[in-house]
Amino acid sequence: QVQLVESGGGLVQAGGSLRLSCAASGIIGSINVWGWSRQAPGKQRELVAFITNGGSTNYADSVKGRFTISRDNAKNTVYLQMNSLKPEDTAVYYCNAKNVVADYWGQGTQVTVSS
């Protein structure tokens, strides 16, 4: 089992920045991919960014150049640095961890960007 706890969400003005954190515990050695997804009201959950154990990253087109995913192995924490935030980035952000047999999710953290 893997437990994920997100933090760092909040209210920010357009153009501002936030850094989300995802603290992982449990059998994290089995995890191959770490990611962040988001879900806005009335919309489907969408993948925002992911990072592999090898360090490869991938981003949704809507956040490329503004968001950066990173991982601190010593702290078992995954981060999502969000810059130049837009009102359309408003959503609940979820941390995600995958291995070959399971898909784990955190409880989510709200990000609200005011115009």
Side-chain angles (χ1 to χ4, degrees), residues 25-99:
S25 60
I27 310 175
I28 60 176
S30 67
I31 300 302
N32 306 117
V33 181
W34 303 84
W36 286 94
S37 296
R38 67 187 181 186
Q39 187 166 19
K43 295 187 177 181
Q44 289 189 330
R45 190 173 297 189
E46 63 170 345
L47 179 65
V48 172
F50 69 81
I51 183 168
T52 69
N53 273 349
S56 298
T57 59
N58 193 278
Y59 298 90
D61 287 343
S62 58
V63 307
K64 279 181 181 176
R66 300 188 298 123
F67 290 10
T68 303
I69 188 170
S70 62
R71 183 182 172 197
D72 185 331
N73 292 331
K75 296 182 178 180
N76 295 329
T77 301
V78 179
Y79 302 98
L80 185 68
Q81 178 66 44
M82 305 185 296
N83 299 328
S84 302
L85 282 162
K86 304 175 181 180
E88 51 263 43
D89 294 318
T90 295
V92 178
Y93 284 70
Y94 297 92
C95 180
N96 172 232
K98 295 183 180 181
N99 59 22

Side-chain angles (χ1 to χ4, degrees), residues 4-11 18-22 36-40 45 78 80 82 89-95 105-112:
L4 304 172
V5 179
E6 302 99 333
S7 61
L11 174 63
L18 283 175
R19 188 177 79 158
L20 305 183
S21 300
C22 173
W36 286 94
S37 296
R38 67 187 181 186
Q39 187 166 19
R45 190 173 297 189
V78 179
L80 185 68
M82 305 185 296
D89 294 318
T90 295
V92 178
Y93 284 70
Y94 297 92
C95 180
W105 293 89
Q107 81 288 350
T109 185
Q110 176 71 46
V111 171
T112 302

